[in-house]
Amino acid sequence: VCMDGITETDGDLQYLYDKDMKGELNMHYEATSTLSGMDEASIEKTISRAKRWQQQYGTDHIRSNTIKYFLDGSIEFGDVLSLEPFSDDPEGKTCGFAHCTLEEMTNLMVRLNRERLDLHVHCVCDGSLRLMCDACEAAQKICGDDWCIYVTVAHCEIIHPNEIHRIHQLGMFMDTTPIWSGMGSATHMERLGLERWRRLHDY
């Protein structure tokens, strides 16, 4: 199975669809419609694109059933939400940031559950991951027995020990990146501190 979620266009899906119609697509492809912001217009556009792709290009091998969102960026650039202040902050106050609030993520999950669309989230740092767990827990309480979608957190470079079991308990999926394991840069160590740096990719 292959999934992209960054560079996909109608042209890409048309190419894959044509290959599949010729019996030349020897794989399964999960197209993801990427959400650029939490405003209503962006959400509507992203959901509509996913549904249109499924209707126009969906086959036994090609599926468009997932919304992708970048909740944070990278530890190197500091655009992640950390549970502790960054070690390279001289005032010891900066914890970075996530690209949406807990309420916005909760509302998105409730909406996607209503639309029967799964959610795949780029989530690197421990604060971002806790936000995802809190949002998933809140959304499940709102949806009750109707809850049915898959929520996947991708990368998860650093995880607070409390969240490891929450991911399982909430029925979330963690999509790790094994090739990154053991590749924590000097920037990671400076930003996280030695103790937290040692816990990178500690699944």
Side-chain angles (χ1 to χ4, degrees):
V1 178
C2 180
M3 186 178 77
D4 182 359
I6 301 176
T7 61
E8 287 162 313
T9 65
D10 279 83
D12 298 318
L13 291 173
Q14 184 67 58
Y15 170 79
L16 294 168
Y17 179 83
D18 291 342
K19 294 280 284 184
D20 200 22
M21 292 301 97
K22 296 175 184 177
E24 299 175 356
L25 187 66
N26 300 315
M27 60 186 287
H28 290 272
Y29 191 88
E30 178 75 31
T32 60
S33 182
T34 301
L35 177 62
S36 60
M38 284 292 182
D39 58 285
E40 187 60 28
S42 296
I43 293 172
E44 288 290 344
K45 178 181 177 181
T46 305
I47 290 173
S48 296
R49 181 171 54 224
K51 291 187 171 184
R52 179 177 62 79
W53 280 353
Q54 179 61 35
Q55 184 176 28
Q56 193 168 344
Y57 305 111
T59 69
D60 289 341
H61 292 108
I62 302 171
R63 205 173 68 135
S64 176
N65 193 49
T66 303
I67 302 301
K68 182 164 184 174
Y69 183 69
F70 287 81
L71 179 60
D72 60 8
S74 69
I75 292 171
E76 293 93 325
F77 286 102
D79 53 347
V80 294
L81 181 59
S82 172
L83 290 176
E84 300 176 22
F86 293 139
S87 294
D88 57 355
D89 171 27
E91 297 184 2
K93 297 179 181 179
T94 303
C95 293
F97 59 92
H99 294 148
C100 76
T101 65
L102 171 59
E103 182 180 10
E104 287 172 330
M105 181 55 71
T106 301
N107 291 339
L108 176 66
M109 289 187 190
V110 171
R111 174 68 188 281
L112 294 183
N113 190 72
R114 190 164 69 244
E115 302 288 349
R116 300 307 193 242
L117 290 169
D118 297 329
L119 178 62
H120 184 99
V121 177
H122 173 105
C123 181
V124 165
C125 205
D126 51 9
S128 303
L129 184 57
R130 180 164 294 176
L131 186 154
M132 284 298 299
C133 289
D134 290 346
C136 191
E137 184 174 5
Q140 288 179 8
K141 288 179 180 177
I142 293 170
C143 295
D145 292 340
D146 189 51
W147 179 259
C148 64
I149 64 171
Y150 291 152
V151 175
T152 301
V153 284
H155 310 310
C156 306
E157 289 189 51
I158 182 164
I159 306 170
H160 190 280
N162 290 353
E163 263 63 62
I164 293 176
H165 297 293
R166 287 187 76 198
I167 291 170
H168 169 71
Q169 291 162 357
L170 291 165
M172 298 168 66
F173 295 86
M174 187 169 70
D175 184 359
T176 63
T177 313
I179 196 171
W180 291 358
S181 183
M183 296 173 63
S185 66
T187 304
H188 282 72
M189 189 185 297
E190 292 169 4
R191 188 141 292 154
L192 297 174
L194 180 60
E195 181 181 344
R196 296 176 78 207
W197 177 82
R198 284 174 170 159
R199 289 198 286 110
L200 283 172
H201 309 286
D202 186 12
Y203 309 131

